[in-house]
Amino acid sequence: MTGELAKLPDIEPSLVQVTKTDSPKQVPPPSSLVFGHTFTDHMLTVPWQMLEGWGTPKIQPFSNLSLPPSATVFHYAHCLFEGLKAYRDTNGKVTLFRPDMNMKRMNNTAHRVAMPGFNGDAMVELMKQLVRLDKHWIPDQPGYSLYIRPTMIGTQPALGIAPPKEVLLFVICSPVGPYYPQGFKPVALYGTTEYVRAAPGGIGAYKLGANYAAGVAAQKAAAAKGYVQNLWLHGPDHHITEVGTMNAFVVFKQADGTTELVTPPLDGMILPGVTRDSVLTLAKEHAAGHINVPELTNKLVVSERPVTMGEVKEAARKGNLVEFFGTGTAAVISPVDRIGYLGEDVQIPTGPDGMGPVSRPLWKHLTGIQTGAIPHPWAVEV
Amino acid sequence: MTGELAKLPDIEPSLVQVTKTDSPKQVPPPSSLVFGHTFTDHMLTVPWQMLEGWGTPKIQPFSNLSLPPSATVFHYAHCLFEGLKAYRDTNGKVTLFRPDMNMKRMNNTAHRVAMPGFNGDAMVELMKQLVRLDKHWIPDQPGYSLYIRPTMIGTQPALGIAPPKEVLLFVICSPVGPYYPQGFKPVALYGTTEYVRAAPGGIGAYKLGANYAAGVAAQKAAAAKGYVQNLWLHGPDHHITEVGTMNAFVVFKQADGTTELVTPPLDGMILPGVTRDSVLTLAKEHAAGHINVPELTNKLVVSERPVTMGEVKEAARKGNLVEFFGTGTAAVISPVDRIGYLGEDVQIPTGPDGMGPVSRPLWKHLTGIQTGAIPHPWAVEV
């Protein structure tokens, strides 16, 4: 935020106005849930105006937004979002997973499109209050959680390309089931060389709506070719950047007997994923001997470095490719068993359970932390 | 559109339902108009559903849209638009300028983000009907017009990144004044090397909202450095691509005595502007001797070719730089008098009226066609 705006009111949780719904919805049976189709009884809204700063936060019944057809968001894509989850453990305790990371990234994203920043801690407080009100929506079954979607849109009712003078920040919540209800199912990727997701100096490192509309064509083209998702490659050397809307990880067997876990560095084209950071952190702490991730090799090397499809293909040919997987909030870890690349398929090993020797222990440890089975400061009690 | 969707209903003008407003607004005095802030009494809406195709077109009072907070457009930037103008001549005749071009581009843009295509001629018919109803909003003064904004948004009420299954196409209209009410005022540009607008394989050639949110930061940075707008450069050679949200034109004096009018080619990173195409077409027809654009040199060469900032800078140094201007629907032609580039300013010649020897006659001829003073098939009677 610029100096003159810094003096205007920030988001203030103590001012929140809570209006509970008169007609609570029936919570649907967990087995009926489809990702992102069911929403809880309440939502959080906080308006912002350029000359007045952040206004009164409201927790109110989930309801339609009424906006003029001239509102910024309908024309110039001033929209950005976050995704995080609340988990309920077997004792009924509800936690959010690393919400500070999401609020930090949301501020960075807003800054990239000249939208207002805000106090992330204040927003976490308000989200906790929203989740407490609707916590009976979190299904009481393993693998289920409440997906929380903070969103910021430009609401200025005038055309003209400029930073929006009016903004709405809102949060909606959706109960979701396990991404792989029948166990892990590795996916086949299509290596996209026809489209790019991001470029240096662009918006690839930000969770802007603009990245997602632009990505659907590549996803659709991959599906038409019989693949589940696309793999974004960049530049003449076909650097691996992201898997659909997930971060990408590759595991190589090295000549010295070590196992290398690789993900592309945050070079301005990669979304700084919270799951990416969590996987990296756990793997690095394990490799350094600070923690023990059960069943994970002790000969682990963790690298944030550029990696090309050529390197992956060559490792597959030589039998040195151990794993390939995506990471993200929705699936946590999504194993890959095949990549269509320049007319042929590169085969990726997967274990009988669909996972591999590095992703399996990391997934177990990370989901253990998320669900409360393994105590960790990343799980923040609501 | 794909084969299976082609069988579903397209937009059908004969089905339009017209609901006139009960409370027409006072038409404001032309001098009070600010671009994009005032809208006419009516709007056009046409809904689409994946399994049902295009629904009933409605001309209805201008009013808010009511959408669930989970609607696609708020999250994944499924929004795209067009901009065209209706002019009223001194006899009261109202014309649209090349509306077929806008509808063709809108279809191309929709296709890029897996949104539905439609019959462009049908939409032109409906827009004519809307403009006829609100034509008293077009100010009866030279330089004024009605800016028409067709917009398409994803309205599916569910999260999940995929082609939206529900869409709304709407059209709103805003009376606008001349872009330069006190005569042409050349602008100073900042040559942006920190951000990119587009990349090969990206979305730069499409009128997607996503390009505009992403561009605001560069515009803001240019303003902070004391420039009016930014100039988008691409690649290590700093190829000229666009001027803010306009197409870019450069004019060089050549050794053989000819004058070269240059604009970058449609290489997938350049928006195919209707004003760009109109300027090119008139200039080419004049150069070929098919038409006479009064006061324009007969020694004109028209080029769609790559042009770098290095070439512009060198031409300025040698005294061979004649002009630099942007083209777009809002300003038609916007002359440039200075470009900040890598720490120094490249000076661009401009005439006493702010224009130059090529842009002035082209602007006169083009606006003559747009306003009806010069009869031409590009002006389509409403």
Side-chain angles (χ1 to χ4, degrees), chain A residues 48 78-80 107 110-117 152-154 163-164 167:
Chain A
W48 176 90
H78 272 95
C79 57
L80 56 97
N107 268 287
H111 183 73
R112 178 62 179 83
V113 288
M115 288 174 83
M152 191 191 290
I153 59 174
V167 158

Side-chain angles (χ1 to χ4, degrees), chain A residues 2 35-37 39 43 62-70 72-81 111-114 147 149-153 156-165 170 172 174 194-203 208-220 245, chain B residues 2 35-37 39 43 62-70 72-81 111-114 147 149-153 156-165 170 172 174 194-203 208-220 245:
Chain A
T2 54
F35 182 84
H37 280 65
F39 297 92
M43 64 194 285
F62 183 94
S63 59
N64 274 14
L65 302 177
S66 176
L67 292 171
S70 51
T72 319
V73 65
F74 297 134
H75 302 269
Y76 307 126
H78 272 95
C79 57
L80 56 97
F81 66 96
H111 183 73
R112 178 62 179 83
V113 288
Y147 181 80
R149 170 58 63 96
T151 311
M152 191 191 290
I153 59 174
Q156 188 181 352
L159 305 180
I161 297 153
K165 292 177 182 166
F170 66 85
I172 54 178
S174 175
E194 304 87 343
Y195 301 103
V196 300
R197 179 185 169 276
I203 56 171
L208 282 167
N211 285 317
Y212 297 84
V216 166
Q219 191 186 51
K220 202 177 161 185
T245 58
Chain B
T2 53
F35 182 85
H37 279 66
F39 297 92
M43 63 194 284
F62 183 94
S63 60
N64 275 14
L65 302 176
S66 177
L67 292 171
S70 52
T72 320
V73 65
F74 297 135
H75 301 269
Y76 307 126
H78 272 95
C79 57
L80 56 97
F81 66 97
H111 183 74
R112 179 63 179 81
V113 288
Y147 182 80
R149 172 57 65 95
T151 312
M152 192 192 288
I153 60 174
Q156 187 181 354
L159 304 180
I161 297 154
K165 291 177 184 166
F170 66 85
I172 54 177
S174 174
E194 303 88 343
Y195 300 103
V196 300
R197 178 185 170 278
I203 56 170
L208 282 167
N211 284 317
Y212 297 85
V216 165
Q219 192 186 50
K220 201 177 162 187
T245 58

Side-chain angles (χ1 to χ4, degrees), chain A residues 22-353:
Chain A
D22 291 334
S23 47
K25 287 177 279 192
Q26 182 90 31
V27 176
S31 60
S32 72
L33 295 173
V34 176
F35 182 84
H37 280 65
T38 304
F39 297 92
T40 65
D41 285 322
H42 298 92
M43 64 194 285
L44 168 68
T45 61
V46 198
W48 176 90
Q49 290 196 303
M50 195 176 67
L51 300 177
E52 300 182 14
W54 289 101
T56 306
K58 288 184 183 166
I59 290 174
Q60 62 196 71
F62 183 94
S63 59
N64 274 14
L65 302 177
S66 176
L67 292 171
S70 51
T72 319
V73 65
F74 297 134
H75 302 269
Y76 307 126
H78 272 95
C79 57
L80 56 97
F81 66 96
E82 282 296 328
L84 67 160
K85 283 180 177 172
Y87 299 85
R88 185 152 57 147
D89 76 7
T90 45
N91 301 318
K93 188 172 87 171
V94 175
T95 54
L96 302 177
F97 184 70
R98 306 188 76 184
D100 56 314
M101 293 283 283
N102 294 92
M103 293 301 99
K104 186 180 157 194
R105 185 171 64 184
M106 196 170 195
N107 268 287
N108 289 342
T109 303
H111 183 73
R112 178 62 179 83
V113 288
M115 288 174 83
F118 58 88
N119 181 335
D121 293 341
M123 266 303 287
V124 172
E125 280 310 303
L126 287 165
M127 287 194 291
K128 284 182 181 175
Q129 200 166 337
L130 176 65
V131 171
R132 278 197 292 267
L133 193 58
D134 281 345
K135 71 178 176 187
H136 57 289
W137 281 83
I138 313 177
D140 193 15
Q141 291 185 24
Y144 284 80
S145 59
L146 188 67
Y147 181 80
I148 303 169
R149 170 58 63 96
T151 311
M152 191 191 290
I153 59 174
T155 53
Q156 188 181 352
L159 305 180
I161 297 153
K165 292 177 182 166
E166 296 176 31
V167 158
L168 182 71
L169 202 167
F170 66 85
V171 183
I172 54 178
C173 302
S174 175
V176 294
Y179 205 79
Y180 296 106
Q182 268 83 47
F184 279 94
K185 191 179 180 321
V187 297
L189 302 181
Y190 174 74
T192 297
T193 53
E194 304 87 343
Y195 301 103
V196 300
R197 179 185 169 276
I203 56 171
Y206 304 92
K207 210 160 176 72
L208 282 167
N211 285 317
Y212 297 84
V216 166
Q219 191 186 51
K220 202 177 161 185
K225 289 179 165 69
Y227 297 87
V228 175
Q229 189 47 276
N230 80 302
L231 173 65
W232 293 105
L233 304 174
H234 189 263
D237 294 333
H238 295 157
H239 279 91
I240 288 162
T241 62
E242 296 199 12
V243 176
T245 58
M246 293 184 284
N247 289 117
F249 282 81
V250 200
V251 182
F252 296 110
K253 188 163 67 184
Q254 300 198 109
D256 64 0
T258 59
T259 298
E260 187 190 22
L261 174 66
V262 182
T263 194
L266 299 180
D267 59 0
M269 290 189 283
I270 305 285
L271 191 83
V274 177
T275 311
R276 174 189 181 278
D277 184 83
S278 303
V279 164
L280 274 180
T281 302
L282 293 179
K284 283 177 183 172
E285 291 189 348
H286 175 85
H290 298 148
I291 64 168
N292 178 46
V293 175
E295 297 167 43
L296 185 59
T297 173
N298 285 322
K299 293 183 171 180
L300 186 70
V301 177
V302 183
S303 304
E304 289 181 79
R305 67 164 175 88
V307 53
T308 66
M309 261 314 288
E311 185 181 357
V312 169
K313 194 177 157 182
E314 181 66 5
R317 194 182 64 78
K318 290 184 171 164
N320 294 330
L321 184 61
V322 181
E323 281 195 69
F324 197 111
F325 58 92
T327 65
T329 294
V332 186
I333 281 177
S334 181
V336 174
D337 63 2
R338 185 165 58 99
I339 302 173
Y341 177 60
L342 301 180
E344 58 180 297
D345 274 1
V346 177
Q347 302 296 333
I348 321 274
T350 51
D353 61 353

Side-chain angles (χ1 to χ4, degrees), chain B residues 4-23:
Chain B
E4 70 274 17
L5 291 179
K7 296 173 214 152
L8 292 172
D10 206 325
I11 293 177
E12 180 46 59
S14 67
L15 298 178
V16 67
Q17 293 177 358
V18 180
T19 308
K20 291 189 188 175
T21 180
D22 291 332
S23 48

